[in-house]
Amino acid sequence: MTGAEPAAPVTADRAGGDLARRATADPLYRLVAYALEAAHGRPPAAVWSAPYAFHLGSPGLVAAAGWPTAAAAAPRTDGLVRLSSLGHPADSCDLPLTPSGPPPAAPAWAVRPYAVLRALARAGYGTGGTDLHVQGSLTGAAGLATAEPTDCAVALAVADVHAATGEPPDRERLARLLAAVLPDGDDGLRRAVLFARPGRALLLNARPGRRRRHVAFDPAASGARLVLVAVRGEAADRPRDLARAVARARRAGALSAWPPGPEPGRSVLMLLPEARLAAVRAAVAEDFRDRGRPVPRFLNIAVAGAARREE
């Protein structure tokens, strides 16, 4: 490490600094704030939450789920990036922030966040470096995309802590930046993370220059439930198990089912009448138990709002 000032000062009025000790805060955000302080020896300047997101059965519509990923960040001034995650406790890393050229070697989990940090630095965000801790509330086993909410949480947290006090991150600019640096990602899901509204779906095919369009999508308001059903077991068995779970759920009263992402995976979203929730779960569970198969996991999904700073 050089003799330069290692970190920009973190003050309580920038928020995040006392989040770990705030009894009324959500446990995930308290944990992420505490974990950054434990890993890097200083409190966060900001903690951002970003919802998992999903595609609807109708083309061109996306929405956010009420399950978050969180990122805690504190600014540095010495060009160093320090990355950690509760999901990878043995693989924290300290890396030089090099906006161009070959990236330094990094643990597999940190490669994508580091790519985001490099892109941010090239755009003028966080050129001095950052201490960063990330953690999701769901694992990949749930079947919702984990990369896109993490991309957005990292970008928002880093842009926030390196901006002038009170200046919110430019979400549209960050969306374009992430699409450019991570073209293999799902831009529709990222836009849901950044621009979603509670009880609304975001229409993706709005013309450039037009106002962003949202349409009503609030199953709870109409007496329905939106449920994510994720199958377990060997990867080769999942497509067949998923199809069987959908068939049993439809027979028990599910209204519709569709994959949450553009590619079929290990889960489906189901819309069903609230009065049939217990019957659907029981029918699916019974079928899988009778065949000696792992029972699918059911997760209730609330249609949530966009990423936000946790105060």
Side-chain angles (χ1 to χ4, degrees), residues 153-250:
V154 168
L156 287 163
V158 172
D160 184 11
V161 301
H162 287 280
T165 302
E167 180 183 336
D170 184 337
R171 296 185 184 219
E172 186 59 48
R173 187 184 183 199
L174 292 178
R176 293 194 300 268
L177 182 150
L178 291 172
V181 73
L182 299 168
D184 59 326
D186 189 312
D187 190 55
L189 293 182
R190 280 193 293 256
R191 288 189 170 272
V193 173
L194 292 169
F195 302 113
R197 294 179 184 174
R200 310 283 286 180
L202 174 65
L203 183 63
L204 293 175
N205 59 358
R207 295 179 182 176
R210 297 284 185 89
R211 291 185 61 185
R212 210 168 280 111
R213 289 185 59 194
H214 294 81
V215 297
F217 179 64
D218 189 358
S222 58
R225 285 286 188 95
L226 183 64
V227 178
L228 181 77
V229 181
V231 296
R232 297 180 287 176
E234 298 297 325
D237 297 327
R238 288 175 195 151
R240 183 172 59 253
D241 281 347
L242 200 57
R244 183 140 182 161
V246 170
R248 292 301 182 274
R250 286 185 180 276

Side-chain angles (χ1 to χ4, degrees), residues 214-302:
H214 294 81
V215 297
F217 179 64
D218 189 358
S222 58
R225 285 286 188 95
L226 183 64
V227 178
L228 181 77
V229 181
V231 296
R232 297 180 287 176
E234 298 297 325
D237 297 327
R238 288 175 195 151
R240 183 172 59 253
D241 281 347
L242 200 57
R244 183 140 182 161
V246 170
R248 292 301 182 274
R250 286 185 180 276
R251 290 179 190 174
L255 301 173
S256 59
W258 67 92
E263 298 294 334
R266 63 188 307 160
S267 67
V268 293
L269 284 162
M270 290 185 185
L271 191 65
L272 57 153
E274 188 167 6
R276 300 299 300 168
L277 176 60
V280 169
R281 293 184 65 148
V284 173
E286 181 181 7
D287 176 68
F288 275 70
R289 289 194 190 101
D290 287 348
R291 296 183 295 114
R293 302 291 300 149
V295 174
R297 185 183 182 191
F298 282 67
L299 286 176
N300 290 329
I301 300 293

Side-chain angles (χ1 to χ4, degrees), residues 34-46:
Y34 174 80
L36 183 134
E37 189 169 354
H40 305 306
R42 52 203 298 257

